[in-house]
Amino acid sequence: MSPSPETPECVFCRIAEGLEPARLVHSDARTLAFLPLHPAVDGHVLVVPRHHVRDAWELDEPTSLELTRAVRRVVRAVRSAYAPEGMNIITSVGAVATQSVMHLHIHVVPRDEGDRMGPIWPSQRTVASTALDEMADRLRGALTS
């Protein structure tokens, strides 16, 4: 099997094509789930579409549905296997958001009090009510256009 001519450098495409090793925990016709090389915590899993999708901005609806189904299965398996107190389900878009592999991947990360992940959100900020109204209007406008 040879690498896809469009994405020969994409390690996740190469994993999907069977050209790179991975510790698979789930595989179906459209998705894969495997352990990252450097899991943040025990039970950390990556869920990816088999075909190349750069990020959530390029995600089409059929792939989104298949990916959501796979994430749901993995979430339940991680919960069953590790019994965490909580869980993060995370995807990043672009290098500025810490996307390190430019192939859409969703992190399923089991969380326990005091784990090495630490908090993922900045401290709370105060935003004026009028600014919140403007944000909501802007987003509503984008959703209807």
Side-chain angles (χ1 to χ4, degrees), residues 7 9-11 17-18 29 44-45 55 68 70 74 84 92 95 106 109 111 115 121 124 128 133-134 140 142:
T7 55
E9 72 290 343
C10 177
V11 67
E17 294 168 7
H44 178 181
V45 177
D55 54 41
T68 299
V74 169
S92 300
I106 298 173
V109 185
R111 300 296 307 271
D115 66 23
W121 295 106
Q124 190 175 29
D133 291 342
E134 289 171 13
R140 281 191 292 269

Side-chain angles (χ1 to χ4, degrees), residues 14 26 37 46 48 81 91-92 107 112:
R14 291 177 58 80
H26 165 78
L37 289 177
L46 302 178
V48 305
T91 192
S92 300
H107 296 262
D112 288 302

Side-chain angles (χ1 to χ4, degrees), residues 132-145:
L132 290 171
D133 291 342
E134 289 171 13
M135 283 185 235
D137 287 344
R138 184 175 184 174
L139 290 166
R140 281 191 292 269
L143 284 165
T144 58
S145 61

